[in-house]
């Protein structure tokens, strides 16, 4: 791109910006405003040419020039000998490199590990138990319980009595009931005779034990009883989905117990090893942005 010329610089000087009060032998003072730059035209080598001194309110020469800096990081200087505006900036330096230090492992141990965070919520697997073996009950058996009530509507079981006529050589005697009965059974029975029960070996009626009868129980049912004790755990195989691992939220804290690493020294290279350097003038490939400068000048 073409470089800036004096024609690209605008100087504004109003009447109220001209002070003629100083001694005429020195000259007078002006306060011009200078505008230049459009970010297209480049900075010329050794400065931007300024318009004629008449634009600054003088006829012969500029004795002094003071510039109110724009505060954009650049420093401006008025070159009176060549009637140019020069721009300076901090000189570029070599890159500064900090060398990595070889790692030093401290000696010691980590102690007092503790997890700080939320505990995992209970996790219930999905599935079933299979091939279960029953657990054994360990405890007191239920005591015998007697229901309260009665049997009703009984039906007697069929049974029979055997009449035994004992073999004997006894004579008839009314006082001997059995033998009397035996005689009575064999004789002419005019009156009813009761045969009392007696010992079968002596000719009495042999009693037999009747069979079980059937009927209904009428009364209160037996209340259920609760045994005291425990049922041992059963065993079996679980068939289902495994529990997915959970991730707790929180942090693990710990204290290091041991020797601290020694102080490390880093090597710094670059920057030309110069702590201070002069400003460098703006490169002639840079196109200054639009800038307004306020100046104070003394001249004749």
């Amino acid at each position: 791109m073409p470089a800036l010329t004096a024609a690209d610089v605008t100087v504004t000087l109003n009447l109220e910006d001209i002070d003629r009060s100083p001694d005429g032998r020195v000259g007078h003072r002006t306060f011009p405003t200078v505008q230049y730059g459009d970010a297209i035209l480049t900075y010329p080598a050794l400065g931007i040419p300024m318009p004629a001194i008449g634009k600054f309110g003088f006829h012969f020469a500029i004795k002094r020039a003071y510039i109110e800096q724009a505060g954009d990081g650049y420093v401006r200087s008025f070159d009176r000998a060549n009637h140019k505006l020069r721009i300076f900036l901090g000189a570029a330096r070599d890159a500064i490199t900090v060398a990595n230090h070889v790692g030093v492992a401290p000696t010691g141990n980590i102690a007092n590990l503790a997890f700080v965070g939320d505990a995992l919520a209970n996790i219930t697997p999905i599935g079933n138990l299979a091939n279960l073996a029953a657990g054994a009950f360990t405890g007191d058996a239920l005591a015998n319980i007697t229901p309260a009530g009665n049997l009703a509507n009984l039906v007697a079981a069929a049974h029979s009595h055997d009449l035994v006529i004992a073999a004997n050589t006894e004579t008839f005697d009314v006082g001997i009931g059995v033998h009397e009965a035996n005689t009575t059974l064999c004789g002419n029975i005019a009156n009813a005779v009761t045969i009392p029960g007696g010992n079968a070996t002596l000719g009495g009626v042999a009693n037999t034990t009747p069979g079980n009868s059937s009927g209904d129980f009428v009364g209160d049912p037996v209340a259920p009883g609760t045994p005291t004790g425990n049922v041992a755990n059963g065993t079996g195989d679980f068939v289902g989905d495994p529990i997915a691992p959970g991730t707790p939220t929180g942090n693990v804290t710990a204290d290091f117990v041991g020797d601290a690493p020694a102080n490390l020294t880093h090597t710094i290279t670059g920057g030309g090893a110069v702590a201070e350097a002069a400003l460098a003038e703006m490169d002639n490939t840079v196109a200054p942005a639009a800038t307004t400068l306020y100046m104070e000048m003394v001249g004749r």
Side-chain angles (χ1 to χ4, degrees):
M1 296 301 296
L4 288 164
T5 65
D8 301 312
V9 179
T10 300
V11 178
T12 302
L13 182 66
N14 299 316
L15 289 177
E16 59 269 23
D17 295 328
I18 301 175
D19 181 9
R20 300 183 182 276
S21 60
D23 190 333
R25 292 174 300 176
V26 176
H28 58 274
R29 181 170 54 179
T30 65
F31 298 88
T33 299
V34 177
Q35 295 173 305
Y36 65 90
D38 58 2
I40 298 176
L41 299 176
T42 59
Y43 179 79
L46 300 179
I48 303 172
M50 293 288 102
I53 62 173
K55 295 288 185 178
F56 295 92
F58 304 107
H59 298 287
F60 302 104
I62 297 174
K63 298 292 184 178
R64 297 288 185 272
Y66 308 98
I67 301 175
E68 182 180 314
Q69 302 298 328
D72 55 2
Y74 296 100
V75 177
R76 280 86 176 177
S77 175
F78 197 90
D79 182 357
R80 290 185 294 112
N82 297 294
H83 198 60
K84 292 182 178 182
L85 178 69
R86 302 181 70 178
I87 303 175
F88 297 87
L89 64 156
R93 309 303 303 173
D94 297 335
I96 297 177
T97 303
V98 179
N100 293 328
H101 195 283
V102 177
V104 178
T107 58
N109 300 284
I110 298 294
N112 304 322
L113 287 174
F115 175 75
V116 180
D118 300 327
L120 289 177
N122 293 331
I123 301 174
T124 302
I126 301 172
N128 300 285
L129 292 177
N131 305 320
L132 291 178
F137 174 75
T138 304
D140 301 328
L142 289 177
N144 294 331
I145 301 174
T146 304
N150 301 285
L151 292 177
N153 304 318
L154 293 177
V155 178
H159 66 284
S160 63
H161 298 280
D162 295 331
L163 176 61
V164 179
I165 300 175
N168 63 87
T169 58
E170 297 294 330
T171 58
F172 174 77
D173 186 344
V174 175
I176 302 174
V178 174
H179 301 96
E180 182 183 6
N182 289 342
T183 304
T184 304
L185 289 175
C186 297
N188 183 20
I189 302 172
N191 298 307
V193 177
T194 299
I195 301 174
N199 193 312
T201 60
L202 300 177
V205 177
N207 295 321
T208 62
T209 301
N212 293 330
S213 299
S214 62
D216 301 325
F217 173 76
V218 179
D220 299 326
V222 179
T226 303
T228 59
N230 301 286
V231 176
N233 293 330
T235 58
D237 302 324
F238 175 75
V239 180
D241 300 327
I243 299 176
T247 302
T249 59
N251 301 285
V252 174
T253 62
D255 301 324
F256 175 76
V257 180
D259 301 326
N263 293 331
L264 304 180
T265 302
H266 296 274
T267 302
I268 299 177
T269 58
V274 178
E276 297 180 359
L279 297 178
E281 190 165 1
M282 180 176 284
D283 190 89
N284 60 6
T285 61
V286 178
T291 304
T292 299
L293 298 179
Y294 301 96
M295 298 185 181
E296 178 183 351
M297 292 183 168
V298 177
R300 298 175 54 226

